C-alpha cells in the first residue's frame, strides 16, 4: 500500500461517532450550506418508504440537517413513487427531467439527472434497497463535508453481510457482500489507481459530495458510476479531498450472479475508458477485515508473472520432433 494511502487511512478515515450531531448542526448553521438527499429507485416499493421515513424523522423533522429528500424514479413498474411520496419524499420520474435528452436505463443516469432537480450545496446519495437503514448513514457522510471545508467527497464504509430476501444474514457470514467490489473494483483500483486502495467500500451506494464537484464530473449512466466518480474525483481534487466514514453494517437486496456479471462488465468498461491516462500497474492488493471498531488492511502481492507461449519453449519443440 502506498505510504500516501497509509497516511490517508489515518487522516481521512473516520467513524460516524467522531463527529457528534450537535457539532455537525453548528457547522451547518454557521456555513449556511444546504443538504439534499437523493435516492435512486428502480422497483424499490418494499424498502424506499422506510428509508425516506427514517431520514425525514431523524434529520428533517427532529433536527434540521437535511433540507430535501428526493427520490428519482428510474422507470419503476411497481408502487415505488407512491410509497416514496407517502413517506414524505419529493418524487421525480427520470423522464420528467431534461426531456430533450431522453433518459436511458441505469443508476448513474438518475444520479446525474438528480443534480437538475435538487438544490443542496451538498448532495448525499443513498440506495433505496437498504434494510435496517440508520440515519447514521447520512449523518456520517454529510458531517465531514460540513465541518471540513477542504473535503469534497465522502464515502460510507460498513460491513456487508450477505442477506436473504427478508434481510436475515445468510450462513455465508459477515463480509461476503460486495462481490463485485472484491472481484472487480478493488483489484482494478489497487492496480491502476493505488491512491484509492484505502477505500473499504469503493462501490458503496452511500456517499456525499459538494455540488461544485459533482457538476464537474461525467456520470457513467449505469453501475460504473461509483467507480468512475471515485477515479475522476481523485484526478480532479486529489486524495486529501476524499474521505470515508465507518457507519456500521449495510444490508441490502442482492442481485444474482449474472446481474453482477453485467455490473462488473460496466465497471470494467468505465475503468477501461479511464485507463487511457498513463499510470503504472502496481502488483499489490489491499483488502480489509473488520477488527473491533476498525477495518484492518491486509496487503497481498499480485502475481503478475506470465509464462511465454509453450511453442516458444525449446524442450517443447524438441519433444514435438521426438
Ligand atoms: O437502473 C437502475 C438500477 C439501479 N437503481 C437504483 O440504484 C440503487 C442500487 O442499485 P442495486 O441495488 O441494483 O445495486 P446493488 O446494490 O445490487 O449493487 C438502488 O436504489 C436501485 O433501485 C436505479 O435507480 N436505476
Ligand atoms: O459492491 C458491490 O459489489 C455491489 C454488489 O453488492 P452485493 O455483492 O450484492 O452485496 O454493490 C454495489 O455496487 C454498485 C455498483 O457500483 C453500486 O451502485 C451499489 O450501490 C452497491 O451496492
Amino acid at each position: 500500500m502506498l505510504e500516501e494511502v497509509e497516511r490517508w487511512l489515518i487522516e481521512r478515515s473516520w467513524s460516524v461517532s467522531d463527529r457528534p450531531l450537535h457539532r455537525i448542526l453548528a457547522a451547518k448553521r454557521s456555513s449556511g450550506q444546504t443538504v439534499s438527499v437523493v435516492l435512486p429507485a428502480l422497483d424499490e416499493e418494499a424498502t424506499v418508504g422506510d428509508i425516506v421515513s427514517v431520514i425525514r424523522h431523524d434529520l428533517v423533522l427532529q433536527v434540521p440537517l437535511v433540507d430535501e429528500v428526493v427520490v428519482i424514479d428510474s422507470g419503476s413498474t411497481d408502487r415505488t413513487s407512491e410509497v416514496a411520496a407517502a413517506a414524505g419524499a419529493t418524487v421525480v420520474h427520470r423522464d420528467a427531467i431534461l426531456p430533450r435528452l431522453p433518459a436511458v436505463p441505469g443508476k448513474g443516469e438518475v444520479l446525474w439527472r438528480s443534480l437538475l432537480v435538487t438544490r443542496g450545496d451538498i448532495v448525499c446519495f443513498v440506495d433505496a434497497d437498504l434494510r435496517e437503514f440508520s440515519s447514521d448513514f447520512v449523518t456520517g457522510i454529510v458531517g465531514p463535508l460540513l465541518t471540513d471545508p477542504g473535503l469534497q467527497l465522502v464515502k460510507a464504509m460498513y460491513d456487508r453481510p450477505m442477506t436473504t430476501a427478508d434481510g436475515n444474514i445468510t450462513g455465508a457470514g459477515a463480509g461476503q457482500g460486495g462481490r463485485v467490489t472484491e472481484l472487480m473494483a478493488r483489484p482494478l483500483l489497487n492496480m491502476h489507481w493505488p491512491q484509492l486502495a484505502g477505500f473499504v467500500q469503493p462501490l458503496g451506494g452511500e456517499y456525499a459530495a459538494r455540488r461544485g464537484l459533482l457538476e464537474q464530473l461525467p456520470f457513467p449512466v449505469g453501475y460504473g458510476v461509483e467507480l468512475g466518480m471515485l477515479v475522476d474525483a481523485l484526478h480532479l481534487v486529489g486524495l486529501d479531498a476524499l474521505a470515508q466514514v465507518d457507519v456500521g453494517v449495510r444490508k441490502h437486496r442482492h442481485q444474482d450472479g449474472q446481474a453482477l456479471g453485467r455490473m462488473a462488465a460496466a465497471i470494467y468498461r468505465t475503468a477501461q475508458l479511464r485507463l487511457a491516462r498513463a499510470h503504472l500497474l502496481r502488483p499489490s492488493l489491499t483488502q480489509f477485515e473488520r477488527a473491533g471498531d476498525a477495518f484492518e488492511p491486509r496487503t497481498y502481492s499480485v502475481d503478475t508473472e506470465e509464462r511465454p507461449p509453450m511453442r516458444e519453449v525449446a524442450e517443447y519443440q524438441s519433444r514435438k520432433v521426438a
Side-chain angles (χ1 to χ4, degrees), residues 127 129-130 137 158-161 204-206 248-252:
D127 280 1
D129 68 330
L130 304 179
F137 278 41
Y158 21 55
D159 291 322
R160 297 184 66 177
E206 290 66 52
V249 181
R250 182 195 199 228
K251 292 183 178 180
H252 71 117

Side-chain angles (χ1 to χ4, degrees), residues 211-230:
R211 178 177 295 273
L213 170 65
L214 293 171
E215 63 193 16
Q216 296 182 70
L217 300 180
F219 278 56
V221 296
Y223 284 119
V225 62
E226 276 83 21
L227 183 122
M229 186 180 293
L230 213 45

